[in-house]
Amino acid sequence: MTGGLEHSMRRFLTDLASRRGTVTYRVLAKALDLAPPHTIHKIGDALAALMAEDHANARPFLAALVISKARNGLPSPHFFDIAGGLGRYTGPATGAEAHGYHTQELERAWDYWGAPQKASSEH
């Protein structure tokens, strides 16, 4: 991980995983004190970096905790595009298949990242 934003985001999301929570893109931007312009774009870029790092280390996507209020609890289409590009998802960004994949990845992320030994060793 290279940037301060990614580090702060990983810490925030790891803590959230320990509570089995989710967060919207906008709330995450506010929690990380990101100022306009392009706050959601900055969040998306940082989440993409986290996904690449998680994939390279054979970990569940911590980014699964970040959801869109407008997409009925699913992450943005970009999440599915990145997961597909990394070879971990082959379906559409909407519908039952997307919901199923996201639910599975979210459960895996909560279990992995929320475990006490992970939360303390990953910081």
Side-chain angles (χ1 to χ4, degrees), residues 76-91:
S76 77
H78 192 57
F79 171 86
F80 296 98
D81 291 343
I82 294 167
L86 295 170
R88 289 178 53 174
Y89 180 66
T90 59

Side-chain angles (χ1 to χ4, degrees), residues 51-110:
M51 289 177 76
E53 184 179 334
D54 288 345
H55 178 72
N57 290 289
R59 302 183 297 222
F61 291 135
L62 190 56
L65 278 67
V66 187
I67 59 170
S68 173
K69 186 176 176 181
R71 289 180 41 84
N72 197 23
L74 281 178
S76 77
H78 192 57
F79 171 86
F80 296 98
D81 291 343
I82 294 167
L86 295 170
R88 289 178 53 174
Y89 180 66
T90 59
T94 61
E97 192 173 353
H99 276 280
Y101 173 75
H102 177 248
T103 297
Q104 179 182 23
E105 196 63 24
L106 183 58
E107 289 286 339
R108 289 180 64 230
W110 281 337

